[in-house]
Amino acid sequence: MTWRDPLVALLVGFAVAAALTPLVGRLARAVGAVDRPRGRGVAAGGTPLLGGLAIAAGVAIGMLVALPDASRISEAQIDNLHALLLGGLVITVVGALDDRFDLHPLAKLAGQVLAAAIPVSQGVEVGNITLPFLGALDFHGFGAPLTVLGFVAVMNVVNLSDGIDGLAAGVCAIAALALGFVAWDLASGQHASILAGAVCGAAVGFLVHNFNPASIFMGDTGAMLLGYLLAGVAVEGSVKTNAVLALVVPMMVLAVPFLDTTFVVLKRLKAGQPIYTADQNHFHHRLTRIGFSQRRVVLYLYAWAGSLAMVAVALKYVPYNDDRDHYDPLWTSVVGVVVLAVLAFSAYLVVLLEIVKLRRLDARRLRRASPGLSDREIDEDVRRALETGEIDAITDDHPTVGR
């Protein structure tokens, strides 16, 4: 197997998804699968859904083209990939039905569990992990149910984060690319790099039509499929190994949607709301409310996801230590600088964009309404907004801010 196999899967996946997406949009309109305004998104409604069908086709055809020429892939690994594709077909059907008929959350959850159970039953399973400083942790008989739970979690994380043009497709493409690089460096996971290439290519091909202003949405069809496939790549490409970084890498690569979902779910639990209820508290909602355009919000979140993915790849490829845990001073310093830079950028997004700019813009709005307000009163208003998540659209009178 050579690097050309994942590249072929990527290019074919891109071409197929880019070509089929407009046709899928017409199909969605014909069957009535169009977006309606919901609490989770920022779109006005009326845009066709089912874009995930084009992504599914891109991944499937990319795999069909690349796999026959791939050498040094065992029969068991090919069977695992086939099981992943079969489960992908199931979740695609579930997502398409949900996009058209709005399935009950429990019915959708049942479909997710069924899709995840297919590859897990064929051996796509995590039986143990290696934790830093703690060593190996064996799951014994709980490996299969925990792996199914992991698949379902990633599906829902991606689905919940899909609320603005191009966000889910771009972040998932970045994640697939990073996971593909990591998988390629592992002899036991190189077959997963082909799937990662197909996922990355199909996501970018769909993004051609989904970047703001989007002409089509992936819907639950695409969001759940991408989450499912990324989970499959992570399990086959890194998590099943005995390396210490096996679990760290996918967690870093998917950190942005995981942090976003965790933040939103905690706020819903605090408010006593069902966790599946849509709201306006995702990162992209909050950044949009403080004045950024949709494109700028998405590009910032791409940069955040990309920087975290870069750290994950660097931890795998940079020779900062050997197998005996001896650390090279130079390369360890390089990794440290990269990690610090990414932490600084993360702090910039979370603190400066979310709080500092909010205070500046809120002060302008409040002082226009009440010129005598003190700095303390303005700080109190910002504190209340951040705690409750009820941030007003404070740039209505300043449409050029953040554009």
Side-chain angles (χ1 to χ4, degrees), residues 47-208:
T47 305
L49 300 170
L50 298 180
L53 295 178
I55 296 174
V59 172
I61 296 176
M63 293 290 289
L64 288 174
V65 172
L67 265 184
D69 293 330
S71 60
R72 292 189 297 175
I73 297 181
S74 69
E75 186 175 340
Q77 290 173 334
I78 292 178
D79 289 342
N80 287 351
L81 290 176
H82 288 164
L84 282 167
L85 290 178
L86 179 58
L89 174 61
V90 171
I91 199 60
T92 300
V93 172
V94 172
L97 291 174
D98 186 55
D99 284 338
R100 176 60 184 87
F101 300 107
D102 283 333
L103 298 178
H104 189 279
L106 290 179
K108 188 159 58 173
L109 178 62
Q112 293 172 347
V113 171
L114 174 61
I118 293 174
V120 171
S121 68
Q122 296 300 310
V124 182
E125 174 188 343
V126 181
N128 61 79
I129 57 174
T130 303
L131 299 175
F133 310 112
L134 297 178
L137 174 63
D138 199 317
F139 294 141
H140 300 289
F142 295 99
L146 286 174
T147 306
V148 170
L149 181 62
F151 269 88
V152 172
V154 178
M155 281 187 262
N156 283 290
V157 161
V158 174
N159 194 24
L160 287 171
S161 66
D162 180 29
I164 190 170
D165 294 355
L167 179 58
V171 169
C172 288
I174 293 169
L177 187 64
L179 290 172
F181 273 116
V182 172
W184 173 252
D185 193 51
L186 299 169
S188 61
Q190 286 190 348
H191 63 297
S193 66
I194 299 179
L195 178 58
V199 172
C200 179
V204 175
F206 173 74
L207 189 59
V208 170

Side-chain angles (χ1 to χ4, degrees), residues 18-33:
L20 290 184
T21 297
L23 300 178
V24 169
R26 296 178 189 175
L27 172 65
R29 290 190 182 280
V31 301

Side-chain angles (χ1 to χ4, degrees), residues 186-400:
L186 299 169
S188 61
Q190 286 190 348
H191 63 297
S193 66
I194 299 179
L195 178 58
V199 172
C200 179
V204 175
F206 173 74
L207 189 59
V208 170
H209 307 278
N210 183 241
F211 196 73
N212 182 263
S215 61
I216 185 172
F217 296 152
M218 67 172 65
D220 283 10
T221 312
M224 292 195 298
L225 174 65
L226 285 175
Y228 166 88
L229 292 173
L230 287 176
V233 172
V235 171
E236 283 295 287
S238 65
V239 182
K240 288 174 69 173
T241 69
N242 294 322
V244 172
L245 294 176
L247 191 61
V248 174
V249 167
M251 288 181 66
M252 292 193 67
V253 167
L254 294 168
V256 172
F258 265 110
L259 288 172
D260 181 43
T261 300
T262 300
F263 172 81
V264 170
V265 167
L266 290 176
K267 287 194 68 65
R268 292 175 188 174
L269 291 174
K270 182 180 178 181
Q273 300 173 340
I275 60 175
Y276 53 82
T277 301
D279 60 28
Q280 294 281 324
N281 287 320
H282 290 273
F283 288 158
H284 52 270
H285 292 130
R286 297 166 72 87
L287 291 172
T288 301
R289 284 200 295 268
I290 63 174
F292 291 135
S293 66
Q294 287 195 43
R295 287 191 175 193
R296 191 172 180 185
V297 169
V298 167
L299 291 175
Y300 269 119
L301 293 177
Y302 284 174
W304 192 9
S307 64
L308 290 166
M310 178 182 65
V311 171
V313 174
L315 289 174
K316 181 58 187 173
Y317 280 92
V318 175
Y320 60 92
N321 74 335
D322 56 25
D323 294 334
R324 293 170 293 180
D325 287 334
H326 294 158
Y327 290 85
D328 181 276
L330 175 61
W331 286 115
T332 301
S333 299
V334 170
V335 172
V337 169
V338 172
V339 171
L340 288 175
V342 171
L343 288 176
F345 182 62
S346 301
Y348 170 75
L349 281 175
V350 173
V351 178
L352 292 184
L353 299 186
E354 191 75 17
I355 298 175
V356 175
K357 184 171 181 176
L358 172 62
R359 187 192 187 282
R360 175 169 59 83
L361 296 176
D362 204 31
R364 183 184 304 174
R365 176 181 67 87
L366 291 172
R367 284 191 170 130
R368 170 174 290 190
S370 303
L373 283 178
S374 66
D375 288 343
R376 182 176 179 179
E377 289 170 315
I378 292 171
D379 288 339
E380 178 62 23
D381 186 79
V382 173
R383 184 195 62 77
R384 177 200 60 78
L386 291 172
E387 285 185 354
T388 63
E390 297 172 356
I391 304 173
D392 297 327
I394 58 180
T395 58
D396 290 347
D397 296 330
H398 309 279
T400 60

